Amino acid sequence: MSRQFVAFSGLAMVLIVLNHSIQMSMEAAVAAGYALPGGVGRFLLTVLQALGVFAVPIFLFISGAFVAYAAKGAPRLSTKFVWKSIRHILWPYLVWSIVFYILIYFHGGQRFSAAGYLKNLATGFPFHFVPLLILFYVASPALIPAARRHPWLLLGVIGGYQLLLIAIRQPDVFSISLPAPVRLLNPPIVGGTFSDWGIFFPLGTVFSLHASSLKTRLERVKWISVLATLALFVLGLLHATDVVSAPWARFIVPLPLLLVVPVVQRRSIPAVQQLEKVGKRSYGLYLTHLIVIDLLLWAIELLARPLLAYQYVLFPLLFVVGLALPVIIMSDVAQRRPTRKVYRYVFG
């Protein structure tokens, strides 16, 4: 698997923590009765938060590439590998979901019925893409042979189904209204996340299996892909600020970026070693950063409430602590002999 993928996995998690730090800092300020920044400052926050559109697609692309890499040289993917991988996704997800539900019960008073908690776990609240990731791992023994023999057909079918789900779930994106029977094709649990990110795991799988032939082609169109990414990102920002109407831009903008990721040289990535350190802990960071940020906000509300009025101090503080503290804790747990054996079941 390409050496730069670990760093890009770290970058994806950095973007997720950045997005949530801004969102949660603004929500806390509004709840406390403070005004949010306006003008240029608000626009800059919007730009930084919008970078999160690339995060989950990058992570799913790399996950798909990893699964395909594990299957290389074998006629089919080992069932043992699949279920071992799912266990290391599922157990940490259950652990940190329960911790999160306990936290929001005491901080915020969010309560659910027993059925509500089960529904939250099944649908991925608040870790939305985890059920989709598990679905792709379950499907990977069939996905890998299809990606190996008929890669473009596979991507066409999955991409077409994703477009159909977007049209079903968000009719305003394409301004069409589908007949009621078609709406039955919207699956439970993963319908929303598949409509957002369905193509990216298979795309990573196809690339990994056909890297030798695809890399040269991607290198030729690298700068076209970069320009397309920038153009679509700006279009998405203009839509978010009500300058133009382009609701479809956010679904498409990760695609040209992911055509660039495989041809980026590891040595050309800024802060590559730091990003790789984050990338190696990416799943655990994804599951724990919301809890760390929420605990920090709770402490600020109790001990330094006026700080909530200063967004340019608050969100960087949430970002740094939400990113650094989980990585430090995970690194420590992984290095200590008594806790090393349970690491995969707690952090993935």
Side-chain angles (χ1 to χ4, degrees):
M1 194 165 70
S2 300
R3 292 183 64 205
Q4 71 271 33
F5 280 3
V6 177
F8 273 102
S9 181
L11 175 62
M13 291 304 115
V14 168
L15 294 178
I16 287 176
V17 178
L18 178 64
N19 179 287
H20 289 157
S21 298
I22 295 172
Q23 178 185 339
M24 294 174 72
S25 68
M26 291 194 295
E27 290 175 351
V30 170
Y34 295 112
L36 295 177
V40 175
R42 182 61 177 272
F43 179 74
L44 290 175
L45 290 177
T46 301
V47 172
L48 290 174
Q49 194 172 11
L51 291 171
V53 74
F54 299 111
V56 173
I58 291 173
F59 186 81
L60 287 173
F61 179 88
I62 293 171
S63 297
F66 169 74
V67 170
Y69 179 79
K72 278 190 174 179
R76 61 190 301 272
L77 194 64
S78 162
T79 304
K80 181 179 179 181
F81 167 82
V82 172
W83 291 113
K84 184 178 179 180
S85 299
I86 290 174
R87 286 201 307 271
H88 290 149
I89 294 171
L90 189 57
W91 283 115
Y93 168 71
L94 293 174
V95 168
W96 294 108
S97 293
I98 291 169
V99 172
F100 180 80
Y101 299 151
I102 293 171
L103 176 59
I104 64 174
Y105 177 89
F106 290 103
H107 180 217
Q110 294 188 51
R111 300 171 176 85
F112 303 92
S113 64
Y117 283 114
L118 291 176
K119 180 182 177 182
N120 288 341
L121 286 171
T123 56
F125 173 73
F127 310 114
H128 300 296
F129 82 86
V130 172
L132 181 65
L133 182 63
I134 291 173
L135 171 67
F136 277 125
Y137 267 90
V138 171
S140 56
L143 192 67
I144 296 296
R148 183 178 281 130
R149 295 170 191 165
H150 309 288
W152 307 119
L153 177 61
L154 175 70
L155 293 178
V157 169
I158 292 177
Y161 182 53
Q162 182 178 352
L163 290 173
L164 177 65
L165 286 180
I166 294 171
I168 292 171
R169 298 181 64 90
Q170 302 182 54
D172 61 307
V173 173
F174 301 124
S175 300
I176 59 175
S177 180
L178 297 173
V182 176
R183 295 171 191 168
L184 296 175
L185 296 174
N186 179 27
I189 300 177
V190 297
T193 51
F194 202 105
S195 69
D196 284 338
W197 306 308
I199 193 66
F200 300 115
F201 187 101
L203 189 65
T205 301
V206 167
F207 168 77
S208 183
L209 291 172
H210 302 276
S212 57
S213 61
L214 289 177
K215 228 173 179 182
T216 302
R217 299 180 190 178
L218 296 180
E219 185 68 49
R220 290 174 188 159
V221 299
K222 178 174 66 176
W223 291 110
I224 296 174
S225 299
V226 170
L227 292 174
T229 302
L230 292 173
L232 287 167
F233 183 71
V234 170
L235 191 61
L237 284 174
L238 294 175
H239 172 77
T241 52
D242 297 320
V243 176
V244 300
S245 178
W248 45 268
R250 74 177 183 90
F251 297 99
I252 300 175
V253 64
L255 284 172
L257 176 71
L258 293 175
L259 300 182
V260 178
V261 167
V263 296
V264 173
Q265 296 296 317
R266 177 186 176 274
R267 62 179 179 271
S268 68
I269 301 173
V272 63
Q273 293 183 347
Q274 289 77 14
L275 287 175
E276 286 176 339
K277 185 175 181 179
V278 173
K280 291 174 183 176
R281 315 290 183 198
S282 57
Y283 186 58
L285 174 61
Y286 174 71
L287 295 175
T288 55
H289 77 277
L290 285 176
I291 294 165
V292 170
I293 291 173
D294 200 66
L295 283 171
L296 180 56
L297 278 173
W298 195 0
I300 290 171
E301 289 169 9
L302 293 174
L303 303 174
R305 192 175 183 84
L307 182 59
L308 298 175
Y310 300 96
Q311 283 295 302
Y312 303 121
V313 176
L314 182 61
F315 100 76
L317 176 63
L318 298 182
F319 171 68
V320 171
V321 175
L323 180 65
L325 186 58
V327 172
I328 291 170
I329 292 173
M330 283 186 285
S331 298
D332 187 64
V333 170
Q335 291 172 7
R336 293 179 182 272
R337 183 171 296 178
T339 54
R340 193 181 304 159
K341 292 182 180 180
V342 300
Y343 178 93
R344 293 296 300 274
Y345 293 94
V346 177
F347 297 110

